[in-house]
Amino acid sequence: MAQAMPSYYEVPEYGAILTLLDAVLSELNLGLLIYRLESDDDPERLKLIYANAEASRCTGVALDGRVGKYIGEAFPALAGTDVPATYLRVGRDGAAAHLGNVRYRDHELAERTYSVRSFPMPMRCVGVLFERAARP
């Protein structure tokens, strides 16, 4: 896979900071997704506004085409799970959550298990850190 670049949507004022953050997280092998809350009560209104390069490497798929989409479009297999509602609560209520190991697969992504944590961020955003889960 070619060297992936971080992708962001509607946060150009943070471009330099995100580039630095991307470099640090890549060294730690951590994928970072950032969602913006567009509703306080509809988890389907979480818009993916950033995916770092390590997120693409970790999943094996370039995620830049998913940035700018709502969570159900970006990660369709999350529909019907409690993951979007958890992210919404984290962003709205300001308390981080450890989701533990989450299995994910969709039309582009092969099934993998990820260790997932989410945390509140400024500007009505929620960050999601993930890495491939160690095999038991």
Side-chain angles (χ1 to χ4, degrees), residues 99-110:
L99 284 73
N101 288 344
V102 175
R103 294 175 78 181
Y104 187 82
R105 175 178 162 228
D106 68 27
H107 65 283
E108 289 185 310
L109 296 169

Side-chain angles (χ1 to χ4, degrees), residues 50-89:
Y50 177 78
N52 75 339
E54 189 61 28
S56 291
R57 281 191 288 276
C58 186
T59 61
V61 173
L63 297 178
D64 54 329
R66 297 179 185 213
V67 173
K69 296 182 177 184
Y70 290 107
I71 193 167
E73 298 170 281
F75 297 99
L78 292 178
T81 72
D82 62 351
V83 172
T86 299
Y87 294 167
L88 177 73
R89 277 192 308 278

Side-chain angles (χ1 to χ4, degrees), residues 104-135:
Y104 187 82
R105 175 178 162 228
D106 68 27
H107 65 283
E108 289 185 310
L109 296 169
E111 184 169 311
R112 294 182 176 161
T113 302
Y114 302 95
S115 177
V116 180
R117 296 172 297 236
S118 60
F119 56 94
M121 296 183 71
M123 297 173 30
R124 296 181 49 79
C125 292
V126 59
V128 177
L129 285 174
F130 68 96
E131 61 187 329
R132 296 270 298 272
R135 293 189 174 167

Side-chain angles (χ1 to χ4, degrees), residues 24-95:
V24 171
L25 292 174
S26 292
E27 285 299 314
L28 297 173
N29 297 317
L30 290 173
L32 172 64
L33 304 175
I34 300 175
Y35 292 94
R36 177 173 288 145
L37 279 68
E38 294 192 351
S39 168
D40 283 339
D41 56 3
D42 183 358
E44 292 303 316
R45 301 282 298 163
L46 290 163
K47 184 174 277 187
L48 181 64
I49 62 167
Y50 177 78
N52 75 339
E54 189 61 28
S56 291
R57 281 191 288 276
C58 186
T59 61
V61 173
L63 297 178
D64 54 329
R66 297 179 185 213
V67 173
K69 296 182 177 184
Y70 290 107
I71 193 167
E73 298 170 281
F75 297 99
L78 292 178
T81 72
D82 62 351
V83 172
T86 299
Y87 294 167
L88 177 73
R89 277 192 308 278
V90 167
R92 183 189 60 211
D93 301 341

